[in-house]
C-alpha cells in the first residue's frame, strides 16, 4: 500500500496529461482501492489528467468510471465499448465474449 501511495504522490507532483496505470489495484485491500480511486478522481478533476488503466477487475469503476473499455486477447482488441462491457465480464466471465 505504501508503494502505491508513493506512486500517487509522483502523479500528483508530475501531473502528466496522460498516465498509464498497469494494475494499480493489485495487492490493495478495499480501503486501499477506495483511496486510490478517490485520488485518481481528484487528479482527473483538478488537474485534467487522463488515465489508461490496465486491470483484470472492475474494482475502480464505481469511483472512477471508464469512458472507454477495450478487451484484449492474445494481443488483439476483441471488444470495445463502454463500462457495460466490464459489468458483463464481471457477471459472466471472459468466456462469454
Amino acid at each position: 500500500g505504501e508503494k502505491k501511495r508513493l506512486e500517487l504522490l509522483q502523479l500528483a507532483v508530475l501531473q502528466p496529461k496522460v498516465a498509464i496505470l498497469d494494475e494499480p489495484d493489485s495487492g490493495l485491500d478495499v480501503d486501499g482501492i477506495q483511496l486510490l480511486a478517490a485520488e485518481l478522481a481528484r487528479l482527473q478533476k483538478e488537474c485534467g489528467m487522463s488515465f489508461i488503466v490496465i486491470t483484470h477487475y472492475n474494482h475502480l469503476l464505481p469511483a472512477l468510471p471508464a469512458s472507454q473499455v477495450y478487451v484484449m486477447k492474445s494481443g488483439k482488441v476483441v471488444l470495445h465499448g463502454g463500462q457495460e462491457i466490464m459489468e458483463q465480464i464481471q457477471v459472466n466471465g471472459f468466456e462469454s465474449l
Side-chain angles (χ1 to χ4, degrees), residues 18-19 23 26 28 31 42 49 61 72 77 80 92:
V18 177
E23 298 194 37
S26 68
L28 295 178
D31 292 335
R42 185 191 71 76
M49 292 176 65
L61 288 181
M72 295 183 73
V77 174
H80 168 252
N92 301 316

Side-chain angles (χ1 to χ4, degrees), residues 4 23-28 33 36 54-60:
K4 299 289 183 183
E23 298 194 37
D25 50 355
S26 68
L28 295 178
I33 290 171
L36 171 69
I54 302 163
T55 187
H56 293 98
Y57 305 102
N58 68 353
H59 301 303
L60 293 174

Side-chain angles (χ1 to χ4, degrees), residues 26-64:
S26 68
L28 295 178
D29 60 14
V30 174
D31 292 335
I33 290 171
Q34 289 176 347
L35 175 75
L36 171 69
E39 182 61 15
L40 292 177
R42 185 191 71 76
L43 289 170
Q44 186 179 42
K45 182 178 179 180
E46 293 178 11
C47 303
M49 292 176 65
S50 296
F51 303 102
I52 297 171
V53 179
I54 302 163
T55 187
H56 293 98
Y57 305 102
N58 68 353
H59 301 303
L60 293 174
L61 288 181
L64 191 69

Side-chain angles (χ1 to χ4, degrees), residues 68-73 76-82 84-86 88-89 94 96-97:
Q68 297 289 314
V69 173
Y70 293 86
V71 177
M72 295 183 73
K73 185 174 184 177
K76 296 181 181 177
V77 174
V78 295
L79 193 59
H80 168 252
E84 70 279 353
I85 292 172
M86 286 298 295
Q88 174 189 349
I89 292 170
F94 286 103
S96 67
L97 302 177

